[in-house]
């Protein structure tokens, strides 16, 4: 008896396909390099990494970077807004849900929902799924002063037992904290903070001095302390007996006001930032190191300040 054939399964547009498909061209010999690329693509899928996002509270699958990301990676030497847009395109392409589908419908949708805390986890996933080791790094034992060189394994920098996930009843993108900047019998100034998204960061890149800074010496694009805090500001309100002024637009109102304020006001704004309330959701990345000095063997932490910087260092080394 002939074995019945299984019904054809419709191809989902998000299911992984070979890098090159020449099966419909039987009269053309398949080059060995294409066969090799398809083989490596299959091997790469084994390294997909499943992670939890602390703010969106979603489980995501990070795919290893592929050759198609090459063009975007090379733009890491450019500056400003184009840099972050291309970097986020890499994230968009390699971020999937548990069913293997793109996590977001468009890059703009992703930018409007993705916070820096979730992005840190995703960038960590890109590193861990795409590279076996980080750039060589030196550490100095705080106990005896012994210097040693490390080739850290990306997976070992993250400690899931220490991750703090979103624990408020309100949607994280609606959450806000109001602080009083100044008050006397005639005037009151209040500032409201929020959790910024990639959309806020892109807007700030487009108008800040960062847009003219180049990426050099294996460093990523970084905000100044003041610029970093500005992205967290949702509004600044001035109230007096005669008028009320409310600043809400990041690029045309909040940034120009803060950047143009005197140093005393800038200092007040920076000190009013509720760092502990927000930054507790930032995943911690570090390595536990044991001093190799046989007379010491002291254990200490080697902290990875910003995982995006580690991504920049590793990927930029490919295009020196």
């Amino acid at each position: 008896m002939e074995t019945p054939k299984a019904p054809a399964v419709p191809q989902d547009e998000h299911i992984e396909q070979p890098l090159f498909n020449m099966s419909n061209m039987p009269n053309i010999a398949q080059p060995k390099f294409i066969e090799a690329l398809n083989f490596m693509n299959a091997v790469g899928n084994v390294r997909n990494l499943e992670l939890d996002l602390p703010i969106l509270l979603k489980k995501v699958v990070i795919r290893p970077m592929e050759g198609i990301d090459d063009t975007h990676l090379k733009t890491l030497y450019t500056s400003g807004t184009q840099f972050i847009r291309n970097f986020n395109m890499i994230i968009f392409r390699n971020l999937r849900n548990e069913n293997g589908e793109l996590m977001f419908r468009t890059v703009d949708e992703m930018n409007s929902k993705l916070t820096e805390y979730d992005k840190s986890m995703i960038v960590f996933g890109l590193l861990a799924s795409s590279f076996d080791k980080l750039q060589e790094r030196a550490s100095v034992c705080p106990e005896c002063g012994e210097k040693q060189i490390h080739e850290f394994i990306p997976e070992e920098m993250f400690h899931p037992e220490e991750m703090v996930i979103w624990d408020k009843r309100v949607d994280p993108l609606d959450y806000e904290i109001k602080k009083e900047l100044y008050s006397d019998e005639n005037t009151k100034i209040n500032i409201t903070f929020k959790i910024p998204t990639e959309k806020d960061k892109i807007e700030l890149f487009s108008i800040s001095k960062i847009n003219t800074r180049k990426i050099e010496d294996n460093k990523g694009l970084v905000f100044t302390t003041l610029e970093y805090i500005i992205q967290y500001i949702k509004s600044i309100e001035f109230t007096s007996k005669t008028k009320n002024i409310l600043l809400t637009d990041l690029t045309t109102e909040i940034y120009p006001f803060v950047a143009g304020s005197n140093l005393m006001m800038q200092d007040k704004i920076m000190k009013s930032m509720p760092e502990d309330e927000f930054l507790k959701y930032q995943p911690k990345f570090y390595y536990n190191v044991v001093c190799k000095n046989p007379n010491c063997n002291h254990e200490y932490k080697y902290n990875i300040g910003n995982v995006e910087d580690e991504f920049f260092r590793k990927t930029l080394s490919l295009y020196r």
Side-chain angles (χ1 to χ4, degrees):
M1 179 181 295
E2 184 178 355
T3 304
K5 294 182 179 180
V9 178
Q11 287 291 321
D12 185 282
E13 62 177 332
H14 299 307
I15 294 177
E16 291 298 325
Q17 302 296 325
L19 287 176
F20 298 91
N21 189 348
M22 301 184 70
S23 60
N24 296 324
M25 305 171 68
N27 295 326
I28 300 178
Q30 181 166 307
K32 288 184 178 179
F33 85 90
I34 292 180
E35 183 179 359
L37 282 172
N38 286 330
F39 175 80
M40 287 303 298
N41 190 45
V43 172
N45 286 336
V46 176
R47 299 194 64 182
N48 285 355
L49 194 63
E50 189 175 278
L51 297 170
D52 295 303
L53 301 184
I55 302 299
L56 286 177
L57 300 180
K58 292 182 182 295
K59 191 175 291 293
V60 298
V61 176
I62 314 295
R63 305 188 317 167
M65 290 184 294
E66 301 171 351
I68 195 171
D69 295 315
D70 182 76
T71 301
H72 292 132
L73 286 173
K74 288 178 179 178
T75 65
L76 294 181
Y77 272 114
T78 65
S79 61
T81 308
Q82 191 60 42
F83 162 84
I84 192 172
R85 287 186 185 279
N86 287 344
F87 182 42
N88 285 3
M89 179 60 73
I90 295 174
I91 291 177
F92 173 76
R93 284 193 64 261
N94 294 284
L95 184 63
R96 305 297 172 105
N97 62 22
E98 294 176 278
N99 298 322
E101 303 166 327
L102 288 170
M103 190 72 190
F104 299 98
R105 291 169 297 177
T106 66
V107 179
D108 288 341
E109 180 192 2
M110 183 188 76
N111 289 337
S112 68
K113 295 180 179 180
L114 193 64
T115 66
E116 66 171 300
Y117 315 124
D118 287 339
K119 185 178 181 180
S120 291
M121 283 301 301
I122 294 169
V123 175
F124 158 71
L126 282 176
L127 269 174
S129 64
S130 302
F131 301 105
D132 292 323
K133 295 180 180 179
L134 300 181
Q135 291 293 96
E136 280 192 358
R137 195 65 53 80
S139 72
V140 177
C141 176
E143 190 71 19
C144 71
E146 178 82 6
K147 181 179 180 180
Q148 51 191 356
I149 303 298
H150 309 276
E151 284 189 311
F152 290 124
I153 298 172
E155 290 94 328
E156 297 176 358
M157 74 167 73
F158 176 55
H159 304 270
E161 70 280 359
E162 298 182 14
M163 186 168 75
V164 178
I165 64 172
W166 185 251
D167 52 358
K168 314 293 185 192
R169 292 186 177 181
V170 64
D171 187 291
L173 299 185
D174 294 327
Y175 184 66
E176 59 183 47
I177 298 176
K178 181 177 286 188
K179 296 281 188 176
E180 184 178 88
L181 274 181
Y182 177 82
S183 179
D184 61 27
E185 58 182 16
N186 298 315
T187 307
K188 180 178 290 186
I189 306 177
N190 290 323
I191 184 169
T192 302
F193 293 94
K194 64 177 181 180
I195 298 178
T197 65
E198 286 298 289
K199 181 176 180 291
D200 297 312
K201 184 181 291 186
I202 290 172
E203 289 181 355
L204 191 54
F205 265 107
S206 69
I207 60 171
S208 73
K209 294 178 181 178
I210 284 182
N211 202 40
T212 62
R213 298 176 195 154
K214 295 288 184 181
I215 306 175
E216 298 171 345
D217 302 324
N218 276 347
K219 296 180 181 178
L221 284 173
V222 292
F223 288 125
T224 65
T225 301
L226 188 62
E227 289 167 336
Y228 177 80
I229 290 175
I230 287 175
Q231 68 176 330
Y232 278 83
I233 300 176
K234 181 176 183 178
S235 66
I236 304 176
E237 184 175 17
F238 303 81
T239 306
S240 69
K241 294 179 179 180
T242 59
K243 65 172 59 178
N244 181 276
I245 303 174
L246 182 63
L247 306 181
T248 59
D249 188 273
L250 178 64
T251 59
T252 64
E253 296 175 344
I254 294 174
Y255 178 81
F257 168 76
V258 177
S261 295
N262 59 46
L263 294 180
M264 183 173 66
M265 178 57 71
Q266 290 182 350
D267 185 60
K268 285 181 177 293
I269 290 173
M270 288 191 287
K271 289 180 178 178
S272 66
M273 163 75 170
E275 285 187 292
D276 293 341
E277 184 61 33
F278 288 128
L279 298 186
K280 67 181 180 181
Y281 299 108
Q282 179 67 58
K284 307 297 188 298
F285 300 103
Y286 64 86
Y287 290 94
N288 291 311
V289 177
V290 177
C291 180
K292 293 183 178 179
N293 183 346
N295 298 318
C296 179
N297 296 320
H298 177 68
E299 296 183 13
Y300 59 97
K301 287 184 179 180
Y302 184 95
N303 287 308
I304 303 296
N306 186 336
V307 70
E308 286 190 49
D309 289 345
E310 294 304 315
F311 179 89
F312 300 145
R313 290 187 182 100
K314 184 63 180 180
T315 53
L316 288 176
S317 69
L318 305 177
Y319 300 104
R320 283 295 183 184

